[in-house]
Amino acid sequence: MLKPIFLPSEPFLEPSGHSPPNLTCLKWWFQTPGFKAQEPRMAQETLKSFGLPTPYILGIDLGTTSVKVVLVEKTSEGPSLVASCTKPLQADVPIKDAQLRESEQDVHGIIDALNACLVTLSPAATRRVCCIGISGQMHGVMFWEAGKGGTWTESGGRWAFQPDKVSHLITWQDGRCGPNFLSSLPVPHSHLSVASGYGCATIFWLLKNRPDFLAPYTTAGTIQDYVVAMLCGREKPQMSVQNAASWGYFNTLEKSWNTKLLKDSGFPIHLLPEVVDSGDLAGETCRAWHQISAGTKVGVALGDFQCSVYSCMSENSDAVLNIGTSAQLAVAMPPEFQPQESPEPNSPVQYFPYFDNRYLAVAASLNGGNVMATFVKMVVGWMAELGIEVSESALYQPMINAGLTHADSRLHICPTVFGERHTPSRLASVTAITASEISLGHVIRALCRGVVRNLHTMLPSEGLKDAGAKQIVASGSGLCRNEVMKQEVEEAFTLPVSYGKAADAALGAAYMMLRRNSGRTEPEGTSEVF
């Protein structure tokens, strides 16, 4: 007979005016052989039958401009968002040398924003958290002294940590590794190239130009790796395959750093974290962080891009399109797919590690909503020169409306005003100009068409279908607020397009932990993600 046993760490109290039970400290043991894989599901069903609140999953995303936290609950209809908080970052460090195009952030400011988010969650909610998933900005690197990266303090019943003996975060936007420097580096044994802002390239640059900078530090990681290490009380961080690949000099097929190559080049390999599979557990919380019980499971830190994609996918056959400031199109490759062993710098598609040993095919364009923004800014500038003052925000909708009056245009705009990583020298151009098609509506139609067609040439419909895609899930303010852009997407791609699911890395991190906590290693059924 199935026999549940409660082992609470505190008395069960009714919610009315009292603290709820600390569900993360419940242990469920079923005294029947063969039920191990089903324990989490059965535990949840038994909780409901006793009228107890079900556990929450905390999802965190440490972005470049903001920090976001979410609480997610598993329901019979799928994951349900319970609470959400976003705080802007005030962490950018003033640039010391403009020519180097440095981009650094103060880690204290990032942790302050994270704490500010968490204090908005009630103790009744945080005590229900059973596991934590964390994602963050990829490629960047920070350094700290192993085992001494922060100090824990308690205030008002909430434990929190503050950074100590840490460097600034050198972000993915950092430009100090110029083309000449990058060309001097050894060629990685990986299918992914190395670029400025990538962790290993940054360490190479510091080793050559500021060797004394590295002396006080004994470990390194991304900002999300640092947070996980602090939560779990780890002396040195673990790093997921996703984040390791984003640093460069990591072979995703072997799941290992290019250790010999790096060592032969004088690279300080002692700084490199241990690498584990994306979706693995990193450990358990070492303190009652914001009244989340000590001993709560924490997943290894994940990449924000992969988590954003995961949050949108109802099925593995979904391709995900996002047009925000820039534009990305991604699709999960079949399980048997493996990338080439060497970089293809001229390819418009890169293959990033995803989950369950699969890869995402990603076309990441530098030209998205920022192209429209640049055009609007140009028009505002022209009007100012003519003595007419108007705000940029006042022009967007009238311009979109003008574009909707023209279903077609022979005007051709190549929109790559910001270049592309695989063709940096190919800049924007306008051709096929005729006197009859130079109205504002014709230009807006051609501009939106150019943005979409540029992305389609990078990863066309045929490529999506070959990967098994059956529909495109589209999101991003640059697309969803622009009806002309939506029309062009539906015209260019020969797959059904659906809207409404916004990409959200914090949700993706929570969903991944929810799936893991349910005892799943592969999506059930034919293609369902949950």
Side-chain angles (χ1 to χ4, degrees):
M1 185 179 78
L2 197 61
K3 184 178 180 183
I5 300 177
F6 301 92
L7 296 177
S9 65
E10 58 185 63
F12 289 126
L13 300 174
E14 292 300 323
S16 55
H18 301 280
S19 298
N22 187 336
L23 297 178
T24 59
C25 293
L26 288 175
K27 295 184 183 297
W28 296 84
W29 301 92
F30 294 93
Q31 297 180 339
T32 301
F35 279 97
K36 184 175 181 182
Q38 300 183 44
E39 286 172 11
R41 178 179 62 81
M42 288 184 170
Q44 181 164 291
E45 290 173 356
T46 310
L47 280 170
K48 291 180 179 178
S49 69
F50 275 84
L52 299 174
T54 53
Y56 290 157
I57 292 85
L58 174 65
I60 297 172
D61 179 52
L62 305 169
T64 309
T65 59
S66 65
V67 169
K68 182 172 184 177
V69 303
V70 298
L71 287 177
V72 172
E73 179 182 21
K74 185 177 182 180
T75 71
S76 59
E77 297 178 355
S80 175
L81 178 64
V82 175
S84 173
C85 180
T86 303
K87 297 289 184 182
L89 280 184
Q90 306 291 333
D92 289 347
V93 176
I95 296 175
K96 299 176 183 178
D97 187 342
Q99 290 186 335
L100 286 179
R101 297 191 297 120
E102 297 174 339
S103 176
E104 299 184 8
Q105 291 183 328
D106 185 351
V107 174
H108 293 81
I110 298 173
I111 302 305
D112 285 347
L114 175 58
N115 287 326
C117 284
L118 289 167
V119 296
T120 67
L121 305 177
S122 70
T126 56
R127 287 177 188 146
R128 290 173 63 174
V129 172
C130 66
C131 53
I132 303 170
I134 301 179
S135 73
Q137 49 177 299
M138 299 163 69
H139 308 298
V141 58
M142 60 172 290
F143 306 88
W144 65 98
E145 190 174 342
K148 300 178 180 179
T151 55
W152 285 89
T153 57
E154 187 268 342
S155 176
R158 288 178 179 262
W159 281 94
F161 67 87
Q162 282 295 327
D164 187 28
K165 299 184 184 341
V166 302
S167 72
H168 290 153
L169 169 67
I170 302 174
T171 80
W172 62 274
Q173 296 175 311
D174 192 81
R176 71 190 71 192
C177 298
N180 290 337
F181 178 79
L182 290 171
S183 64
S184 71
L185 298 180
V187 177
H189 296 162
S190 169
H191 73 282
L192 294 170
S193 301
V194 176
S196 189
Y198 285 26
C200 284
T202 300
I203 294 173
F204 265 125
W205 189 93
L206 292 168
L207 189 66
K208 179 178 179 180
N209 295 279
R210 298 178 188 170
D212 292 342
F213 174 89
L214 296 173
Y217 305 114
T218 53
T219 193
T222 65
I223 180 65
Q224 56 267 33
D225 296 324
Y226 165 75
V227 169
V228 170
M230 286 300 304
L231 292 183
C232 297
R234 300 185 64 94
E235 284 212 357
K236 300 197 73 173
Q238 288 182 321
M239 183 180 264
S240 67
V241 169
Q242 293 173 0
N243 285 323
S246 80
W247 265 22
Y249 293 99
F250 182 82
N251 189 301
T252 60
L253 299 176
E254 300 173 358
K255 297 183 180 180
S256 64
W257 298 105
N258 297 168
T259 306
K260 185 178 185 306
L261 181 151
L262 292 170
K263 191 173 183 179
D264 290 347
S265 301
F267 188 95
I269 59 172
H270 67 278
L271 293 175
L272 296 175
E274 172 195 1
V275 179
V276 298
D277 284 334
S278 304
D280 277 3
L281 281 182
E284 299 178 344
T285 52
C286 62
R287 301 287 179 94
W289 186 49
H290 289 277
Q291 297 196 19
I292 298 169
S293 291
T296 298
K297 297 175 184 177
V298 183
V300 66
L302 303 169
D304 56 355
F305 181 77
Q306 287 90 338
C307 286
S308 293
V309 170
Y310 193 76
S311 72
C312 293
M313 280 191 177
S314 297
E315 298 186 354
N316 282 326
S317 57
D318 290 344
V320 176
L321 168 65
N322 179 75
I323 301 181
T325 301
S326 53
Q328 302 86 29
L329 179 60
V331 62
M333 298 300 290
E336 65 275 10
F337 171 83
Q338 290 190 335
Q340 296 187 9
E341 294 186 5
S342 57
E344 294 183 84
N346 296 324
S347 172
V349 176
Q350 289 189 302
Y351 298 97
F352 295 148
Y354 193 41
F355 297 105
D356 305 318
N357 295 315
R358 297 181 72 169
Y359 288 85
L360 281 179
V362 181
S365 173
L366 300 176
N367 301 274
N370 52 2
V371 174
M372 184 75 171
T374 300
F375 179 77
V376 170
K377 186 174 183 178
M378 178 188 72
V379 172
V380 168
W382 284 355
M383 294 176 73
E385 290 182 38
L386 295 172
I388 304 170
E389 296 296 329
V390 64
S391 68
E392 293 180 17
S393 59
L395 291 185
Y396 274 95
Q397 195 56 52
M399 286 186 173
I400 293 170
N401 292 341
L404 290 172
T405 63
H406 296 278
D408 197 9
S409 175
R410 288 176 291 176
L411 190 68
H412 181 269
I413 297 179
C414 171
T416 52
V417 67
F418 299 100
E420 293 292 6
R421 292 183 179 91
H422 61 288
T423 53
S425 61
R426 183 172 177 254
L427 300 179
S429 62
V430 183
T431 56
I433 303 171
T434 65
S436 61
E437 297 192 8
I438 55 174
S439 71
L440 179 61
H442 285 107
V443 173
I444 294 299
R445 174 63 65 177
L447 192 67
C448 292
R449 178 171 298 174
V451 169
V452 173
R453 295 290 172 88
N454 177 60
L455 193 60
H456 187 267
T457 59
M458 296 172 69
L459 184 51
S461 301
E462 292 73 20
L464 297 177
K465 292 177 181 178
D466 289 345
K470 295 181 180 178
Q471 74 162 343
I472 295 173
V473 179
S475 64
S477 58
L479 175 61
C480 295
R481 297 178 186 175
N482 186 335
E483 190 63 33
V484 180
M485 197 81 78
K486 290 169 72 173
Q487 289 177 359
E488 291 302 324
V489 166
E490 292 162 16
E491 176 69 23
F493 291 94
T494 57
L495 286 168
V497 181
S498 67
Y499 304 91
K501 277 196 172 182
D504 189 317
L507 274 178
Y511 290 169
M512 173 48 61
M513 284 302 292
L514 176 60
R515 194 188 82 176
R516 194 199 185 287
N517 204 47
S518 298
R520 304 258 304 270
T521 56
E522 292 288 342
E524 289 180 356
T526 55
S527 60
E528 290 183 357
V529 171
F530 299 111

